[in-house]
Amino acid sequence: MPGSAFNQTIELADGEFIRIKGLVYDRCGINLSEGKRELVKTRLGKILRRGAFSSFGDYFDHVLSDKTGHELTFMLDLLTTNYTFFFREQGHFDYLRTEFIPEFIRKRKGAGRKLRLWSAACSSGEEPYSLAITLMEAIPDYLKWDISILATDLSTRMLKTASGGIYPREKAQSLPESLLKKYFLQGQGKWDEHIKIKDEVRKLVQYQRVNLISPFNFSEPFDCIFCRNVMIYFDKKTQAELVNKLYHCLDEGGVLMIGHSESLTGIDHPFRYLKPSLYRK
């Protein structure tokens, strides 16, 4: 633990960046471009500046030597970009409420009232909770349904935040006051600028750590999968592999939703195109 590393900037050498970039790609499919180099230096540099490591290479070797995998998980947590808010890309939730859910209810005709959704890159939880609220609003007798929303992410740090269900009020600034009062608790005192998801919303969501490039092992198919704004970090090969895995996770007629800035153009897949960012099995 050389003291010279403390309180000084440590440069990220080309070879060190290549090693880190390669490991991140191998383990979670994220392609760290040259434009992410400063992000890597800033976020991992915080660990180095504590004085424990003399270089990024030194830290990298430490991560590889940890047989528990905890250090790798922590490093991936630090390098995962997590930006979201409630009802981000509102059009997808409007589609669920006005088209998908009414069609789904008609098909079930009162029988087999089971609905399974997957938020495949849930980050800090705003997306799955937005899904839960949408279902509760769109299905008047939702309590008579068997509804489950699986929310997964690579980052254990984000999953912990998500399961807690407490957010700065600004994360829900697009919601009307009626929905805020119906589905959130307002913080008091030091929590005055925060809101908390009510229990009736939280109980529809289950959280689990899932690496999207690893094999999936789900017990039943999903009716709808949200996999938004994560494929932009993957190269075409990884995108194609993921999209085809998601296809096999959907029930017949199920819907995949991707981010508005994403596209399946140039990817060989069996999905049927519905409209921009919406695909059906």
Side-chain angles (χ1 to χ4, degrees):
M1 299 184 184
S4 60
F6 194 73
N7 282 337
Q8 72 179 42
T9 300
I10 301 176
E11 293 303 317
L12 175 59
D14 292 345
E16 293 170 333
F17 179 61
I18 290 172
R19 292 178 73 197
I20 294 170
K21 175 180 176 178
L23 180 62
V24 171
Y25 179 79
D26 288 342
R27 298 303 174 91
C28 61
I30 294 176
N31 188 20
L32 293 173
S33 64
E34 184 62 31
K36 298 292 185 181
R37 182 171 181 149
E38 193 60 32
L39 179 145
V40 172
K41 179 180 175 181
T42 300
R43 295 191 179 180
L44 297 188
K46 295 176 182 178
I47 300 175
L48 273 66
R49 284 194 295 273
R50 292 173 187 161
F53 306 100
S54 59
S55 68
F56 285 93
D58 196 14
Y59 170 65
F60 184 86
D61 290 339
H62 170 72
V63 170
L64 290 184
S65 68
D66 174 31
K67 302 304 182 183
T68 69
H70 293 160
E71 289 296 333
L72 175 60
T73 298
F74 182 64
M75 187 186 83
L76 294 176
D77 277 2
L78 289 176
L79 296 180
T80 301
T81 301
N82 297 283
Y83 169 72
T84 188
F85 48 87
F86 286 97
F87 291 90
R88 182 183 182 187
E89 299 184 351
Q90 177 73 46
H92 288 147
F93 300 99
D94 292 340
Y95 171 79
L96 271 184
R97 178 175 51 82
T98 62
E99 297 186 52
F100 178 84
I101 293 300
E103 178 186 351
F104 190 84
I105 292 175
R106 285 195 301 270
K107 286 182 177 179
R108 293 302 164 106
K109 296 179 181 178
R113 292 185 163 196
K114 179 187 287 187
L115 181 57
R116 296 289 183 265
L117 290 87
W118 178 18
S119 172
C122 71
S123 186
S124 45
E126 290 89 337
E127 178 177 277
Y129 289 136
S130 297
L131 286 173
I133 291 170
T134 299
L135 298 183
M136 294 167 76
E137 287 288 295
I139 307 175
D141 61 343
Y142 79 91
L143 288 174
K144 297 179 180 179
W145 283 67
D146 177 8
I147 297 175
S148 178
I149 300 169
L150 175 65
T152 69
D153 202 86
L154 178 68
S155 170
T156 53
R157 177 171 51 94
M158 286 296 102
L159 290 172
K160 183 177 180 180
T161 298
S163 61
I166 299 175
Y167 302 93
R169 188 181 173 90
E170 64 189 33
K171 290 276 192 172
Q173 60 185 356
S174 64
L175 270 68
E177 195 65 28
S178 59
L179 288 185
L180 282 172
K181 290 181 178 179
K182 190 174 181 179
Y183 297 111
F184 296 83
L185 298 172
Q186 174 63 50
Q188 303 293 327
K190 69 175 184 177
W191 295 102
D192 183 53
E193 294 301 317
H194 289 75
I195 51 176
K196 183 177 182 179
I197 294 287
K198 288 187 176 180
D199 287 344
E200 54 262 41
V201 182
R202 287 159 57 93
K203 70 181 182 181
L204 294 181
V205 183
Q206 290 79 45
Y207 288 98
Q208 180 181 335
R209 184 177 185 269
V210 169
N211 187 335
L212 292 178
I213 72 166
S214 297
F216 300 149
N217 186 29
F218 302 123
S219 60
E220 55 186 339
F222 298 97
D223 301 297
C224 179
I225 297 176
F226 271 52
C227 187
R228 308 188 305 166
N229 306 303
V230 65
M231 286 193 292
I232 54 175
Y233 299 107
F234 299 159
D235 61 16
K236 282 293 184 184
K237 176 179 177 292
T238 307
Q239 288 176 1
E241 291 171 352
L242 174 59
V243 167
N244 281 275
K245 287 199 307 182
L246 295 176
Y247 181 85
H248 293 293
C249 290
L250 278 168
D251 203 356
E252 197 66 35
V255 172
L256 169 67
M257 302 193 190
I258 63 175
H260 286 159
S261 63
E262 298 172 316
S263 171
L264 300 191
T265 301
I267 296 175
D268 185 20
H269 65 84
F271 279 102
R272 178 164 63 88
Y273 173 84
L274 291 179
K275 57 180 71 176
S277 71
L278 294 177
Y279 299 84
R280 170 161 279 159
K281 178 171 179 176

